[in-house]
Amino acid sequence: MATIYDVARQAQVSPATVSRVLNGRTTVDPAMAARVHQAMRDLDYRPNAVARNLRLSQTSLWAVIISDIGNPFFTSMVRGVEDVAQGAGYSVVLCNSDEDPEKESRYIAAALAERMAGVIISTSGRSTAINRLVEARIPVVAIDRQLRGVTIDTVLVDNVQGAEMATTHLLDNGYQRVACITGPRRISTASQRLRGYQRALRAAGVEVSDGLVRYADFREEGGYQAMASLLDSDNPPDSVFATNNLMTVGAVECLVDRGVRVPASFGVVGFDDIPWAHLVKPSLSTVSQPTYDLGRAAAVLLTERIANPTRPPSTVTLSTGLQVRESSSRPS
């Protein structure tokens, strides 16, 4: 394996000159720099990343810690992060916390140990581990979910607005007992979407009933079980607003298994647009999120935080939209 000294001999310059070229210094004579780059190509030289990280006190890597790699919502979001990162000279390491606070904490510990240049995180809901990044002065941006007890750059969508639109749409289409399947109480997206659901009911003069609310786990099985529980209740609903895409799939699967006709006798609106939502029968009405833009916005905030560590933290909130399809349109 070629060393910096081999490159220096090949280029007929000093090792210090090679070092300055590797570190991007502009004080090196262009002709010398060209010889160094040519020598590195000729010798297939690869810089020692470990040594470089120790010198610079950080890597050129970002950790992107997401809460569920099985959720298609995150696919486009991570692409948005990566596109900005690559343009800024960073690479992305993807970590899946699996909605597990302990696993999330281990990934944060790894980001600290590996001297990551920055972290973008869709948190499981605990601020303790995030505070370790802040205290270590590692730039961090929260994405999709808000954290209590810590003030950092954050990128969100207007969850309350989206949930309110979805619930109002069901009421306007003649459904009278609208249920809500939401996520874990500790997670901001779950509580905000529940708040939007309740706001829509109150605005329509409809009683807000705890008996029509189920807390699940943002997973398909959780949506299925929550829907089954609602159908088995003494006074079941005639429609449901499910607060994420996987729980929507589980809820619809339960309705199919029970022989409940959608939308004739039961309406469904989900949150997070699903790539194939328009292909199933009936096609699924959903609240759509600008997932790619979420990722881009978080990555831009992270690059700005790296460049200016002392600027005040900011929050970016993007709008949602309602994609009306067959599952919520009761026939007249």
Side-chain angles (χ1 to χ4, degrees), residues 263-287:
S265 57
F266 203 96
V268 177
V269 179
F271 206 109
D272 303 336
D273 208 12
I274 304 168
W276 41 262
H278 63 291
L279 299 175
V280 298
K281 290 297 178 183
S283 55
L284 286 174
S285 296
T286 57
V287 177

Side-chain angles (χ1 to χ4, degrees), residues 99-293:
E99 298 285 6
D100 181 350
E102 297 304 320
K103 191 174 179 183
E104 177 181 290
S105 183
R106 289 195 294 272
Y107 276 127
I108 288 173
L112 289 164
E114 297 298 327
R115 304 169 184 259
M116 293 287 187
V119 174
I120 294 174
I121 183 167
S122 173
T123 179
S124 62
R126 293 184 182 177
S127 61
T128 308
I130 309 298
N131 277 323
R132 294 169 60 195
L133 294 169
V134 175
E135 290 164 2
R137 297 184 180 179
I138 289 184
V140 57
V141 176
I143 190 169
D144 181 48
R145 299 175 179 182
Q146 210 161 13
L147 269 172
R148 295 177 182 174
V150 59
T151 304
I152 56 175
D153 294 311
T154 305
V155 181
L156 308 167
V157 299
D158 194 335
N159 291 294
V160 175
Q161 173 217 22
E164 190 171 1
M165 282 193 301
T167 308
T168 299
H169 169 68
L170 287 167
L171 293 169
D172 288 346
N173 275 272
Y175 298 103
Q176 298 178 342
R177 286 184 55 77
V178 183
C180 178
I181 300 174
T182 191
R185 298 172 192 265
R186 70 178 187 275
I187 294 178
S188 64
T189 48
S191 60
Q192 290 165 1
R193 292 170 192 177
L194 178 61
R195 194 184 316 145
Y197 157 81
Q198 293 168 335
R199 182 184 292 182
L201 294 180
R202 292 191 184 100
V206 177
E207 179 186 359
V208 177
S209 170
D210 291 341
L212 289 174
V213 175
R214 294 293 184 274
Y215 294 88
D217 57 1
F218 280 147
R219 303 290 178 87
E220 187 174 335
E221 180 61 24
Y224 189 103
Q225 296 300 332
M227 190 71 258
S229 172
L230 287 165
L231 293 176
D232 291 338
S233 63
D234 293 337
N235 194 3
D238 62 1
S239 54
V240 68
F241 164 53
T243 63
N244 92 325
N245 49 9
L246 297 184
M247 292 194 304
T248 305
V249 171
V252 170
E253 185 180 357
C254 179
L255 291 168
V256 170
D257 288 349
R258 296 289 188 95
V260 178
R261 294 182 303 147
V262 177
S265 57
F266 203 96
V268 177
V269 179
F271 206 109
D272 303 336
D273 208 12
I274 304 168
W276 41 262
H278 63 291
L279 299 175
V280 298
K281 290 297 178 183
S283 55
L284 286 174
S285 296
T286 57
V287 177
S288 61
Q289 301 191 65
T291 49
Y292 180 84
D293 292 336

Side-chain angles (χ1 to χ4, degrees), residues 4 9 14 30-31 48 67 235 245 255 302 316 321:
I4 191 172
R9 281 194 295 270
S14 69
N48 187 326
S67 51
N235 194 3
N245 49 9
L255 291 168
L302 188 57
V316 175

